[in-house]
Structures are given as C-alpha cells and as structure tokens.
Amino acid sequence: MTASALTRIALRDFRSYADAEVTLDGRPVWLAGANGAGKTNLLEAVSFLIPGRGLRGSALAEVGRRMPGETTGRAWAVAVTVSAGDDETRLGTGVEQAGAARRVVRVEGEPAPPGRLAEHIRQVWLTPAQDRLFLEGASDRRRFYDRLVFAAEPMHAAHVQAYEKAQRERMRLLTDGPADPAWLDALEAQLADAGTLMAEARARTLAALADEIATRGERPFPQARLSLTGDWERMAAEGRASAEIQALLAQALKQARDRDAAAGRALTGPHRGDLSVIHAEKDRPAAECSTGEQKALILNLVLAQAARLARADAPSPILLLDEVAAHLDARRRAALFDEIEALGLQAFLTGTDEMLFDGLAGRAQGFRVDGSGLARVG
C-alpha cells in the first residue's frame, strides 16, 4: 500500500487559530513552542478528521474559537489534502453554525457520512492525558484500546456506539420504567449483537498486537505481554462461535435485570472489560513500573499498531504524538525518530524545546508555533 500523508492543512476559527494554512511534504512534522501556543490545537484539528470527538474528547462547541466576551465557540472548519502516491483527496469537517450539535463531513467537496473518512485517513495518537493510563480506572484503558482497534477496523466505532446507545435505553427502562419484557428483550438482543462484534474485534487486535510485539525483538522500548480481562473478549479469543457468544451475553443481560436496576448501571458486558499489560522482561504489571517505563510501554503499543497498519491494504496511519519526546531519554528519543522514519509514516510531534527534535534534522519539517501562527524552521 502506498503511504498516505497530509500535504495541506487549513484551519478556520479552530481553537486559537483564526485562519491558518500549512503545506507539508509528507515527512514527519515537529511543532515547538511555549505551553499554550497552539501546538496541541493543531494535532486536535487533525484528529477530527476521523469519526469521534478528537484527541481531547471535546464537544463541538468547545473547539470553535472564542474572543473575550463570547460564550459560544464560533463555527469552525478543518480541511486537509491527503496524498497517496499520485492520488490526492480533499477532506473537510466542521460545524456550519455556532453551537451546532453535529458536524459536517465533506469528501472532495461533497457531503459524506463520517465513516467515509476512514477510507482515506487513519490515526493513532498518544497524549499526556494517557501518561497515567495504567494507574487510572479501566474505562480510560478501554477507550485507549478501542482507539487502537478502531484504527485497524473502522466499523468498531459504530459497534461501540450502537452498544452504548442500546445500553442507555435499557438502563432507562430498568431504572425509570416501564420495564417492558418484550422491549428489554429487543434491546438486549441489540446489545448482544454489538457486544459480540466489539469483543471479537478487540480479541483480533490483541492477537495481532501480541504477534507484532513479539517480532519487534530487542528495542529501547520494553516489550509487553497483553491480555483482555473481559469474559466476552476471552470467549472470542478462544474461538467460540459468534452465535454462542451472542446467546450467552443476551442470557446474562436478562438474568442481570434486577441487579442492574438496583445498581443503576449495567454490571455485565464488554463495557466492563479491561486491558492488562505486563512488562515482559521484569514480569511486573505496568502499574508497578516507573513512570518512564509506563510511558515507554504505551509508546511501544502505539508503534506496534502503527507498524502492522503500515503493512495493511488500507490507508497508512498518521501518528499524533503530543509532548512525547520530552518524556523520553536521549536513547529512546533517537529510537523513536528512527522507527518513525523506518516505518515511512507521517508523524506529528510537539514539544516546548526545539532542541528535542535535533535528531530529526534533515528528516522532518519543523515549525515554530506562537500566538501569531506557525513559522517554518530551516
């Protein structure tokens, strides 16, 4: 598959950018500037070029630029050109009115469903918010892992959304009534269908990641042993038939109605699973490792997913690495730069100090970011 990359990014009224445009040549990109200068804003704009709420998980009204005294973010737009070999595709997204609850998507200037974006661009990202991934609750790890799954299987996002929608409706019936058995049966059938697809996609991704990590050999980034703790993912990993998993999940949900109603939340299902990561060399859970080791373990997961996707018959992934370089020692930072180059992927990296990116001299495009916009370096 020909590597794909962004060759143009244009922003209008997005966060700190009133009107900005940058032309790129497909190589990695580093952005340096003071905290609050707008580095992460650019990465977030790019992250809206896939379905979802971007790398910060922001509501649409939050990302529109606001002047002093304005309480609602303005209408905003992000437009890019994606190049793959000799082919170019124009993609865009944004909201057409301030405070709009839905964003529009355009492919070659024509309205399109958000799912069409995955035909042209895929992303994997790592942000400072994930530094405590192994110390926080399971929900953060599930979201992180589901983004890795989504990068490989874009339909996974739709299955997660369908599951969450049916789950909300089921809990409303259980807690507020009327708890009509026929309607609950129908919702639980939807949950079982979407939940089985979720569990199977997670299990496939885990197996592929484990294989990729095993073949990566000795590197400056520690290897990890991965597992999924959820019952439904375990069944999928064991090769149980989809129909069997669906039937068992529907039955478990039906039997849990009284318990879920009393608890006010669903206590069984793939939304309860977790990602377990063990530092292979030390045979210790990631949560017991040092901060630097945890960061390196997460980064190795991201790089492993990017490496396998780079070989797939699909758009090659774009890496968004926010403030990652500053948390790595010189050896691991150099290894990161070398790996990005070896994979032939476009990566966007941010940092407060331009010297962090000295190792990318001649191998990347650099930009200095400040309140007035972006200025090319070198």
Side-chain angles (χ1 to χ4, degrees), residues 19-178:
D19 193 9
E21 182 172 344
V22 61
T23 301
L24 305 172
D25 60 14
R27 290 183 295 167
V29 176
W30 58 261
L31 307 165
N35 291 327
K39 306 182 299 297
T40 304
N41 293 345
L42 182 64
L43 268 60
E44 183 183 24
V46 173
S47 74
F48 270 101
L49 267 299
I50 60 173
R53 300 179 63 171
L55 58 78
R56 282 182 170 128
S58 302
L60 299 179
E62 294 177 22
V63 302
R65 190 169 67 98
R66 286 185 293 176
M67 296 298 289
E70 293 180 340
T71 57
T72 302
R74 299 181 179 186
W76 57 269
V78 178
V80 301
T81 299
V82 183
S83 297
D86 295 330
D87 296 329
E88 287 191 343
T89 305
R90 293 176 297 123
L91 306 177
T93 190
V95 298
E96 296 178 332
Q97 293 182 336
R102 290 180 178 272
R103 62 186 174 107
V104 297
V105 169
R106 296 188 185 277
V107 177
E108 291 295 346
E110 297 296 324
R116 285 280 309 279
L117 293 169
E119 299 174 11
H120 306 282
I121 185 171
R122 299 192 184 189
Q123 299 178 23
V124 182
W125 63 64
L126 187 57
T127 71
Q130 293 158 352
D131 286 352
R132 294 179 56 82
L133 188 69
F134 302 123
L135 304 177
E136 302 292 352
S139 61
D140 292 326
R141 286 184 293 278
R142 278 195 303 273
R143 282 193 292 271
F144 167 78
Y145 184 68
D146 277 338
R147 281 194 293 272
L148 294 183
V149 178
F150 169 70
E153 302 188 32
M155 281 303 297
H156 181 66
H159 299 150
V160 172
Q161 290 171 359
Y163 182 91
E164 292 176 346
K165 181 176 183 293
Q167 182 175 252
R168 288 193 298 270
E169 293 178 2
R170 174 178 179 268
M171 289 309 305
R172 276 198 294 268
L173 289 181
L174 291 177
T175 56
D176 300 334

Side-chain angles (χ1 to χ4, degrees), residues 26-29 216 219 221 299 302-303 306-307 310 317-321 324-325 328 332-349 357 360 363-364:
R27 290 183 295 167
V29 176
R216 287 165 66 78
R219 294 169 185 253
F221 302 107
L299 183 55
V302 169
L303 291 173
I318 292 171
L319 297 176
L320 305 179
L321 304 177
V324 169
L328 300 175
R332 285 178 173 160
R333 189 159 59 243
L336 171 62
F337 297 160
D338 290 344
E339 181 133 7
I340 289 171
E341 183 179 37
L343 291 173
L345 299 179
Q346 188 179 45
F348 290 77
L349 304 99
F357 307 108
L360 284 173
R363 300 191 286 173

Side-chain angles (χ1 to χ4, degrees), residues 186-205:
L187 286 172
E188 287 162 1
Q190 294 176 29
L191 281 165
D193 180 43
T196 298
L197 292 169
M198 288 165 55
E200 290 175 336
R202 287 170 176 171
R204 282 192 297 271
T205 296

Side-chain angles (χ1 to χ4, degrees), residues 344-356:
L345 299 179
Q346 188 179 45
F348 290 77
L349 304 99
T350 68
T352 56
D353 190 343
E354 294 180 25
M355 294 180 63
L356 290 170

Side-chain angles (χ1 to χ4, degrees), residues 149-346:
V149 178
F150 169 70
E153 302 188 32
M155 281 303 297
H156 181 66
H159 299 150
V160 172
Q161 290 171 359
Y163 182 91
E164 292 176 346
K165 181 176 183 293
Q167 182 175 252
R168 288 193 298 270
E169 293 178 2
R170 174 178 179 268
M171 289 309 305
R172 276 198 294 268
L173 289 181
L174 291 177
T175 56
D176 300 334
D180 178 76
W183 185 230
L184 284 169
D185 284 345
L187 286 172
E188 287 162 1
Q190 294 176 29
L191 281 165
D193 180 43
T196 298
L197 292 169
M198 288 165 55
E200 290 175 336
R202 287 170 176 171
R204 282 192 297 271
T205 296
L206 188 87
L209 275 174
D211 288 344
E212 184 68 38
I213 290 171
T215 61
R216 287 165 66 78
E218 293 300 322
R219 294 169 185 253
F221 302 107
Q223 289 190 322
R225 294 202 307 271
L226 309 176
S227 62
L228 293 168
T229 63
D231 292 337
W232 314 103
E233 291 85 353
R234 176 180 51 78
M235 291 182 194
E238 292 171 352
R240 306 274 280 272
S242 299
E244 180 185 4
I245 299 174
Q246 282 181 268
L248 290 170
L249 180 50
Q251 180 183 23
L253 290 165
K254 186 171 186 175
Q255 293 174 344
R257 288 176 186 174
D258 291 341
R259 184 183 63 174
D260 290 352
R265 64 186 187 278
L267 297 175
T268 188
H271 66 286
R272 302 282 294 176
D274 197 359
L275 173 68
S276 172
V277 178
I278 303 294
H279 189 301
E281 183 181 355
K282 294 189 173 182
D283 195 26
R284 295 176 60 189
E288 297 179 7
C289 296
S290 70
T291 301
E293 288 172 331
Q294 291 182 32
K295 187 78 172 184
L297 282 166
I298 298 171
L299 183 55
N300 201 25
L301 288 181
V302 169
L303 291 173
Q305 181 70 321
R308 82 179 191 90
L309 294 180
R311 299 191 301 270
D313 186 21
S316 54
I318 292 171
L319 297 176
L320 305 179
L321 304 177
D322 191 21
E323 300 290 350
V324 169
H327 295 277
L328 300 175
D329 58 34
R331 182 175 66 99
R332 285 178 173 160
R333 189 159 59 243
L336 171 62
F337 297 160
D338 290 344
E339 181 133 7
I340 289 171
E341 183 179 37
L343 291 173
L345 299 179
Q346 188 179 45

